[in-house]
Amino acid sequence: MNIGQVAKRSGVPAKTIRYYEEIGLIPPAGRTAAGYRDYGSTDVETLRFIQRARSLGFSVKDVGDLLALWCDRERASADVRAIAQGHVRAVEAKIAELEEMRRTLTALVERCSGDDRPDCPILEGLSDTCCH
């Protein structure tokens, strides 16, 4: 398969496939006599795995680690679990950060009358010191 075909079958854009090759996340594809990339069905499976992991927010490094474990039939599931648990903790921290942002923004919006007056608690809340 050429890169366009593997992109279509995997759902991963050709540009992203080239990037994954460049950073070593996937091995470079074989080449045809004409110099075009040549992929197989295993490459499609690997790219789908990567795409699914990335859609869950795993970092490229974690995806690389998960790929290595996926390919290692002698792996310990504890190693896979540890990566996933670390990611869950990071997601929970991000959720807490977003909830705090929402609380702060909601409080600022509630303090703003939204009328024709120039004073605005939102702008005051965003500024540590007065700029004027």
Side-chain angles (χ1 to χ4, degrees):
M1 276 178 276
N2 66 33
I3 196 165
Q5 293 166 321
V6 79
K8 187 173 184 175
R9 289 185 185 182
S10 68
V12 178
K15 184 176 181 177
T16 303
I17 295 169
R18 285 189 209 88
Y19 170 71
Y20 289 160
E21 285 183 10
E22 182 182 312
I23 65 170
L25 190 57
I26 60 173
R31 298 286 180 153
T32 65
Y36 294 104
R37 287 177 170 87
D38 188 28
Y39 297 92
S41 59
T42 302
D43 297 309
V44 173
E45 289 177 40
T46 300
L47 288 165
R48 286 179 180 160
F49 179 96
I50 293 169
Q51 183 180 23
R52 179 70 175 136
R54 293 290 289 147
S55 75
L56 289 172
F58 282 99
S59 68
V60 171
K61 182 200 177 308
D62 283 347
V63 172
D65 293 343
L66 289 167
L67 268 174
L69 290 165
W70 185 49
C71 293
D72 179 3
R73 298 294 171 203
E74 309 230 349
R75 69 184 167 260
S77 64
D79 295 336
V80 180
R81 182 182 170 105
I83 294 169
Q85 284 178 318
H87 186 55
V88 168
R89 286 190 297 275
V91 168
E92 288 170 343
K94 185 65 175 179
I95 290 169
E97 180 182 324
L98 289 169
E99 287 174 343
E100 179 57 31
M101 277 189 227
R102 181 182 58 199
R103 281 190 294 275
T104 300
L105 287 168
T106 299
L108 290 171
V109 168
E110 288 173 354
R111 287 181 29 218
C112 181
S113 61
D115 57 20
D116 292 337
R117 294 180 301 173
D119 61 312
C120 180
I122 297 170
L123 294 177
E124 291 168 13
L126 295 174
S127 172
D128 287 336
T129 60
C130 181
C131 354
H132 301 289

